[in-house]
Amino acid sequence: IPDDMVYRPKWKIALELYDRARGNGLHFDWTTFDEGYGGKPEFLRELSTRHQKFVGEVPRNFMGWIKPPRVVTRPFRKHGRGRGRKTPRLASGGAAARRVDAMLQEKGLRDQPWVRWRVKDGHKGPMVWEVKHLRFYPVTAAGLPGEPLYLIVARDVLHPEELKFFVSNAPAGTSIQTMLLVAFSRWRVERCFEDQKSEIGLDQYEGRRYQGLKRHLILSCVSYLFLSRMRQEFGGEKPGVDGVPDPHGGGGVDPVLVVARVPAEGVAGADLGRDQTSATPERQGADMPHQENTPKVTGGGRQTHRVAPLQMGYDLAL
């Protein structure tokens, strides 16, 4: 390993890769990432300073406030002696920052009803998540409330104990539909790693030299890119089995939908085998654009929904 190769946190490496991509002329309307990056407030702050919109997962112990506490800047003298400090600090008696999983018991989220969204079609049927969201103030390294973000809480309908927490610096007025689409698009990069390890041999290097390892990784990635492009060129428009998208997202229903709410009574166990996209939403909201979805009948008499992918014109940095 070269002597100049020193330890760097993963989130700093990610920022360097991001800056290199931007320097090469690439532009990302959105970025998304897992809780390993989302749990680093410095990473979120650096993305915001670069004016980069993001929707990223955060761990359960991510701290902040629903209602920001009062911050004071008047001089403070410890025990009434010495020179007063003018460093901003929380006012005495203010509420302490709380974990995001504990916020489900606070008024802002506790009284908000869960809204069900069909976010993806998998091989076992539709994946439906219940969602709540509100504005949220994360705690900074100085212990003060930072710039407001959206906090999104998602719960798997069939496994209510499975909770996901996301934060986003999306502009005010951005629909929850858009933020969910970005948040649940991360599976694509995870599938890339899975394919490269199982089919290309990305994780099968057994050499001893650092240079050889780098060459192996580069050749594995180039091979995967070549195979993906050849498949796209010669594979045509062959649909997936029974309208379900294949691992590369081809054919059938778009793999990440997030196009319509699902009524609460329409999701229960085996009922998930039915397509719920065209169901009437629980509540109508002005910020939720209506999506037309007309079922079509296949030759075998089954109803399938050919939902057009949500046309946002966004590039996702996954």
Side-chain angles (χ1 to χ4, degrees):
I1 299 178
D3 293 335
D4 58 352
M5 183 64 66
V6 297
Y7 169 78
R8 293 169 297 164
K10 290 178 67 175
W11 66 269
K12 287 189 176 181
I13 298 175
L15 286 175
E16 292 177 9
L17 295 174
Y18 172 85
D19 291 338
R20 183 190 304 174
R22 291 292 301 269
N24 289 331
L26 293 179
H27 170 73
F28 306 107
D29 285 325
W30 292 94
T31 57
T32 184
F33 38 84
D34 61 25
E35 61 184 34
Y37 298 91
K40 305 297 186 294
E42 301 92 338
F43 179 68
L44 304 181
R45 184 174 64 252
E46 289 294 333
L47 286 178
S48 293
T49 58
R50 289 164 170 77
H51 305 289
Q52 176 61 60
K53 293 184 294 185
F54 62 79
V55 183
E57 189 172 355
V58 296
R60 291 169 174 259
N61 61 355
F62 196 76
M63 307 288 288
W65 297 268
I66 293 179
K67 183 178 180 181
R70 189 165 63 92
V71 176
V72 296
T73 56
R74 65 176 181 270
F76 170 75
R77 293 178 175 84
K78 189 174 183 180
H79 305 304
R81 296 174 295 179
R83 179 179 298 177
R85 295 179 298 173
K86 295 184 179 179
T87 304
R89 64 189 186 281
L90 297 179
S92 60
R98 301 192 65 187
R99 296 163 50 113
V100 290
D101 57 353
M103 290 182 182
L104 286 171
Q105 306 304 321
E106 292 192 16
K107 183 177 180 180
L109 286 174
R110 183 186 66 235
D111 300 334
Q112 185 180 145
W114 291 98
V115 178
R116 292 181 173 178
W117 288 83
R118 174 183 172 182
V119 299
K120 183 181 175 182
D121 266 353
H123 291 284
K124 296 182 180 180
M127 299 181 184
V128 180
W129 290 74
E130 296 177 316
V131 175
K132 294 183 179 184
H133 70 288
L134 46 61
R135 297 293 271 178
F136 163 79
Y137 296 81
V139 64
T140 65
L144 302 176
E147 293 296 322
L149 303 173
Y150 282 102
L151 173 64
I152 304 169
V153 184
R155 181 174 70 179
D156 191 337
V157 170
L158 294 184
H159 306 282
E161 69 281 358
E162 183 177 353
L163 289 170
K164 289 182 179 292
F165 300 89
F166 303 92
V167 295
S168 175
N169 64 346
T174 304
S175 69
I176 184 62
Q177 179 183 27
T178 298
M179 290 187 283
L180 285 177
L181 176 58
V182 177
F184 282 93
S185 293
R186 204 182 71 230
W187 71 275
R188 290 186 174 93
V189 72
E190 295 169 351
R191 183 56 194 250
C192 287
F193 282 116
E194 181 182 345
D195 284 344
Q196 290 187 71
K197 290 180 179 179
S198 60
E199 306 293 341
I200 308 297
L202 177 68
D203 60 347
Q204 297 176 12
Y205 178 72
E206 297 181 358
R208 295 174 177 268
R209 299 180 59 195
Y210 178 78
Q211 186 178 26
L213 172 62
K214 298 290 287 186
R215 289 173 175 172
H216 175 80
L217 297 177
I218 292 172
L219 287 174
S220 298
C221 293
V222 172
S223 299
Y224 187 70
L225 176 62
F226 170 79
L227 293 174
S228 297
R229 288 187 172 179
M230 291 300 99
R231 183 190 180 282
Q232 183 178 14
E233 180 176 349
F234 295 107
E237 300 295 332
K238 185 178 179 180
V241 180
D242 292 333
V244 177
D246 61 26
H248 302 280
V253 181
D254 186 59
V256 180
L257 297 174
V258 197
V259 293
R261 298 175 180 174
V262 178
E265 64 275 9
V267 181
D271 290 338
L272 280 177
R274 295 185 291 117
D275 196 319
Q276 299 288 343
T277 309
S278 61
T280 304
E282 288 182 308
R283 296 181 292 112
Q284 298 293 334
D287 60 334
M288 308 301 176
H290 174 71
Q291 300 289 334
E292 293 184 358
N293 181 30
T294 304
K296 296 181 180 180
V297 180
T298 63
R302 299 186 306 273
Q303 280 193 347
T304 61
H305 290 260
R306 300 297 184 185
V307 182
L310 189 59
Q311 299 297 327
M312 299 196 307
Y314 294 147
D315 292 325
L316 299 177
L318 301 176

